[in-house]
Amino acid sequence: MSTETQQLSGATICHRSRVIVWSLIMVVALLSFLAPAQEAAVAPPTAESSTERYAAREKGIHALADSMYGAAIKYFEEYRTVVGVREPDFADATILLVKAHLLHGKPELAAAALELHKNDSPGVTDPYYHEGLQYYEALTLLRRGQVAAAVGLAEPLQTDATAAEYKAQALQLLADAYAKQEQWPAAEQALTTLINNFPETAARAGARSALIKVFLATGRYQQAENAIAAMEADETAVPAPRIRLFQIAVQLHKNNVDAALATYQTIAADRPHQPDADWWLVLSQLVDALLANQRQTDALLLMPAAKASAPGDDERRQLQ
C-alpha cells in the first residue's frame, strides 16, 4: 500500500470518529455582523459642522471600509480624544472604536473601550446611541464567549430598539448565539423574522444562507433543498458557489457521491484562497464519502483543497 493510500486509510478512521455538524459554522453564516454595509452613524452625530472635530472620524470610516483596521483604530481613538466626554459624540466614537477592535479580532480591547465609556460618560439620552452601545456590548460579549450574557442584552433590542438597523443586527446576533447553544428553533425563528421583517437589509442574504444551515443541522434536508431552489431563483440572494455547496451537502445526504463530486467540479475554481469554514465542511464531507466508496484517488485529489479551506489547526488535523 502506498504512503498516500495509508494516509487516506487513516483519515477514514479519523473522519468516521468525528461528528461533523453544520452548527460548527453558524458563526460564519451570520458573519457579517460587522459588514461595511452596517456602518454605525455614517454622518457626524451633531449638527455642528466642525471639520477639525470630525476629521479623524471620517478618516477612520474610510480606513474601516478599506479593511485597514489598525489605522481605523488609531483615527477613532483620536476622534474620541478630541470630543472628550461630550455626548453623543463620545458614544459615537466608542461605537466606532469597538467595531474596529472587533473587526481586528480584539474583543478584549473592545470591552475596555466600552468600560471606559461607562465610567466617564455623563449619560446618553439619544436612543440611537444608547441602542448602539447596547448592541456592541452584546456583540463583544458574544465574541468573548459569554453567550448567555450576550443574549440577555440583545433580546430586548429585537423588539424594543427604535432604530431598525439595531433590531436587524440584534436578530443576527441572536441567531448566531442560539446556534452556539444548539437552540435550533430559536435560531430559526430569529432568522425567519430577519428575513421577513427586514427584506431590504444587506444581512438578508446571509440570513437565508444561515437558515439552510439550520435545516442541515437539524436533518431537514427536504426543507434545505426547497430553500436552495428558492435562492437559485433569486439571483440577488447568495453567490452561486455558496448555493452549490449546500447542494453538495444535500446530495451527500442522499448518498449521491457522483452528483456531489460533479457539482463540486463546477465551483472548484471559485474556492476562496483563504480559509473558509463552509468550504472546509463540505469538502471534508465529500472526502469522507469518497473514501467510504473506495475512491481513494478522487479523495486524494480533494485533500489539498479541503486542508487549505480549514478554518483552524484543529480542523486541518482532522484531515491528516
Side-chain angles (χ1 to χ4, degrees), residues 19-29 175-184 187 210 212-219 277-278 280-281 285:
V19 178
I20 304 178
V21 293
W22 282 88
S23 58
L24 292 174
I25 52 173
M26 288 302 299
V27 178
V28 175
D176 183 49
Y178 294 144
K180 287 179 182 295
Q181 297 172 321
E182 297 190 20
Q183 296 182 24
W184 301 116
I212 291 175
K213 294 180 181 182
V214 171
F215 294 147
L216 292 170
T218 52
D278 283 353
W280 167 76
L281 185 59
Q285 289 179 319

Side-chain angles (χ1 to χ4, degrees), residues 34 50 53 120 187-188 269 276 295 303:
L34 300 171
S50 169
R53 178 177 291 273
D120 294 355
E188 182 177 349
D276 186 293
R295 297 173 61 170
M303 194 72 79

Side-chain angles (χ1 to χ4, degrees), residues 155-229:
E155 281 184 334
L157 288 174
Q158 68 176 320
T159 53
D160 300 341
T162 58
E165 69 181 272
Y166 286 126
K167 281 187 176 180
Q169 291 184 51
L171 285 164
Q172 280 184 280
L173 186 156
L174 287 168
D176 183 49
Y178 294 144
K180 287 179 182 295
Q181 297 172 321
E182 297 190 20
Q183 296 182 24
W184 301 116
E188 182 177 349
Q189 181 59 53
L191 291 168
T192 301
T193 302
L194 177 60
I195 292 166
N196 292 338
N197 293 3
F198 300 94
E200 302 303 319
T201 181
R204 185 172 183 265
R208 293 178 71 182
S209 174
L211 188 56
I212 291 175
K213 294 180 181 182
V214 171
F215 294 147
L216 292 170
T218 52
R220 288 178 286 168
Y221 289 92
Q222 187 57 58
Q223 286 176 268
E225 199 164 10
N226 294 341
I228 290 167

Side-chain angles (χ1 to χ4, degrees), residues 6 58 149 192 207 314:
Q6 288 176 335
E58 295 306 311
T192 301
D314 288 343

Side-chain angles (χ1 to χ4, degrees), residues 44-226:
T46 70
E48 179 183 332
S49 58
S50 169
T51 302
E52 181 179 355
R53 178 177 291 273
Y54 297 113
R57 182 187 192 280
E58 295 306 311
K59 290 177 182 177
I61 287 175
H62 288 303
L64 207 61
D66 291 335
S67 301
M68 299 173 62
Y69 305 131
I73 289 167
K74 172 180 171 293
Y75 288 126
F76 292 144
E77 286 177 336
E78 181 181 341
Y79 171 42
R80 184 178 62 177
T81 299
V82 169
V83 300
V85 297
R86 163 180 164 168
E87 295 291 7
D89 290 355
F90 187 20
D92 181 60
T94 300
I95 288 169
L96 289 168
L97 181 57
V98 167
K99 179 175 181 177
H101 280 312
L102 292 176
L103 282 166
H104 204 215
K106 305 290 185 181
E108 294 80 10
L109 295 179
L114 288 164
E115 187 65 22
L116 178 66
H117 182 271
K118 281 184 179 181
N119 292 337
D120 294 355
S121 174
V124 180
T125 57
D126 188 318
Y128 179 81
Y129 294 100
H130 185 271
E131 291 161 7
L133 289 166
Q134 185 172 337
Y135 167 75
Y136 278 99
E137 183 177 358
L139 184 55
T140 298
L141 287 167
L142 186 64
R143 293 293 173 86
R144 299 184 77 186
Q146 300 176 45
V147 180
V151 168
L153 279 178
E155 281 184 334
L157 288 174
Q158 68 176 320
T159 53
D160 300 341
T162 58
E165 69 181 272
Y166 286 126
K167 281 187 176 180
Q169 291 184 51
L171 285 164
Q172 280 184 280
L173 186 156
L174 287 168
D176 183 49
Y178 294 144
K180 287 179 182 295
Q181 297 172 321
E182 297 190 20
Q183 296 182 24
W184 301 116
E188 182 177 349
Q189 181 59 53
L191 291 168
T192 301
T193 302
L194 177 60
I195 292 166
N196 292 338
N197 293 3
F198 300 94
E200 302 303 319
T201 181
R204 185 172 183 265
R208 293 178 71 182
S209 174
L211 188 56
I212 291 175
K213 294 180 181 182
V214 171
F215 294 147
L216 292 170
T218 52
R220 288 178 286 168
Y221 289 92
Q222 187 57 58
Q223 286 176 268
E225 199 164 10
N226 294 341

Side-chain angles (χ1 to χ4, degrees), residues 225-255:
E225 199 164 10
N226 294 341
I228 290 167
M231 288 174 65
E232 282 190 296
D234 182 355
E235 295 181 356
T236 65
V238 171
R242 196 70 55 174
I243 297 175
R244 298 289 175 266
L245 287 177
F246 300 143
Q247 286 180 328
I248 293 170
V250 173
Q251 289 164 340
L252 289 174
H253 170 70
K254 295 179 176 180
N255 202 30

